[in-house]
Amino acid sequence: MSMLEDILAELQNLIKACCTPTGRSIIGAGLIAIALYAAYCKIQLAKERQQLNRRREGRNRERKTAESVRRCLTPHQRYLEGQASSRPKVLLASEVIFEHGEDKKEFTVRSDATATLVKMCKNSDVHVIFRQVEDDPSDEKIKERAISSLSEAGVIDAGFQQHRIVVCSTTQGKAHVARHLMPSLYMDVDVLPLKMVSQYIEDTVLVHSSSSTDIPEKVKASPMFSTFFSAIKKRVEMKNTVEKPKVTNLQAKNTQAAILRRRTAGSAQAKK
């Protein structure tokens, strides 16, 4: 009970102290300090928001600039020459760049695709996906044979990363891998996975020699792997000269008539 009385007594003394001029001054100074601190925090928050908006606007401008530059680039310039603002990601089905031997277990890089693949690995992040069938060996065996074949073709030395070889068991699995990686370019010989991801991936290309294949609207077609990159964009030089406006015959006649009237009026005033 005595402790409670002590606490009440202290509160009464504190209230009496706050009622004095000194106490009121201290309370006023504290309130002013709190108000100033709140204003400071508000100003700092506004500055941070402005900086965030500037960064967001800068990123949007950079994104729009990169988008406009990307649209002007051909596949050859973007994926093989490295003219894009960042290294693009590419997903290739194994059938696009490999050809199987007689036993269908050994495979080598296609001769017509080696040079293009080497250039691509120097300027793009290339991933290769295999679809495993029942008679195929284990995933590790497939990866070992693929690495050996890529090494013989000089693709590993060009910058291909060995961990970018993926093995799946179904055709739909290839589409799921493509959705997970979200590459800029996906090339396959099967229409189904391309159709499943064509709305999410920028460039989807069906590599097929037959023109009778039913190709979806957003999927491009190429008879060979290297043919898709054969088109090289011509450089367009901007002309700094300003074109002069064309003058019609009627405007020329009116101008000449006006000049003659001025000369006639000038000569008449000179005679006077």
Side-chain angles (χ1 to χ4, degrees), residues 199-233:
Q199 59 181 331
Y200 308 107
I201 296 177
E202 183 180 343
D203 291 327
T204 51
V205 183
L206 175 65
V207 181
H208 203 282
S209 58
S210 176
S211 59
S212 60
T213 306
D214 187 14
I215 302 174
E217 182 180 356
K218 295 183 179 181
V219 177
K220 303 173 185 177
S222 178
M224 298 173 60
F225 169 66
S226 57
T227 307
F228 179 69
F229 307 96
S230 60
I232 302 177
K233 189 178 183 63

Side-chain angles (χ1 to χ4, degrees), residues 64-188:
K64 290 180 180 178
T65 303
E67 182 71 13
S68 61
V69 171
R70 180 193 60 76
R71 290 179 179 177
C72 296
L73 297 177
T74 61
H76 188 280
Q77 292 173 323
R78 186 179 184 190
Y79 300 110
L80 303 186
E81 295 182 4
Q83 295 188 20
S85 58
S86 59
R87 287 176 64 91
K89 188 183 295 183
V90 179
L91 178 61
L92 303 175
S94 60
E95 298 87 351
V96 174
I97 58 174
F98 288 103
E99 57 183 356
H100 292 273
E102 296 180 356
D103 57 356
K104 294 186 179 182
K105 293 184 179 181
E106 298 294 334
F107 42 83
T108 57
V109 179
R110 296 179 183 274
S111 58
D112 56 347
T114 302
T116 303
L117 186 59
V118 169
K119 290 181 181 179
M120 181 182 289
C121 291
K122 291 180 179 179
N123 298 289
S124 304
D125 295 334
V126 181
H127 297 72
V128 179
I129 183 169
F130 286 83
R131 186 174 69 87
Q132 187 182 26
V133 295
E134 294 180 359
D135 296 336
D136 283 347
S138 62
D139 295 0
E140 296 301 325
K141 289 291 184 182
I142 293 175
K143 291 181 180 180
E144 289 178 3
R145 293 175 182 177
I147 292 171
S148 176
S149 180
L150 292 172
S151 180
E152 291 177 0
V155 179
I156 301 295
D157 295 335
F160 180 81
Q161 301 294 324
Q162 300 180 13
H163 67 275
R164 292 176 180 163
I165 298 176
V166 184
V167 181
C168 63
S169 57
T170 61
T171 303
Q172 290 82 355
K174 297 198 297 186
H176 295 316
V177 172
R179 279 296 309 273
H180 177 71
L181 293 176
M182 288 301 294
S184 301
L185 171 64
Y186 173 32
M187 304 183 73
D188 205 328

Side-chain angles (χ1 to χ4, degrees), residues 18-89:
C18 292
C19 294
T20 60
T22 304
R24 287 194 291 268
S25 300
I26 294 173
I27 293 174
L31 294 175
I32 292 173
I34 293 173
L36 291 175
Y37 180 73
Y40 172 78
C41 293
K42 190 174 182 179
I43 292 172
Q44 290 298 116
L45 183 60
K47 288 182 178 180
E48 291 178 359
R49 288 178 178 174
Q50 289 179 355
Q51 293 177 356
L52 183 62
N53 291 333
R54 292 194 192 100
R55 294 194 195 101
R56 188 180 293 113
E57 291 175 357
R59 287 194 296 267
N60 291 335
R61 284 195 298 269
E62 292 176 357
R63 191 181 297 110
K64 290 180 180 178
T65 303
E67 182 71 13
S68 61
V69 171
R70 180 193 60 76
R71 290 179 179 177
C72 296
L73 297 177
T74 61
H76 188 280
Q77 292 173 323
R78 186 179 184 190
Y79 300 110
L80 303 186
E81 295 182 4
Q83 295 188 20
S85 58
S86 59
R87 287 176 64 91
K89 188 183 295 183

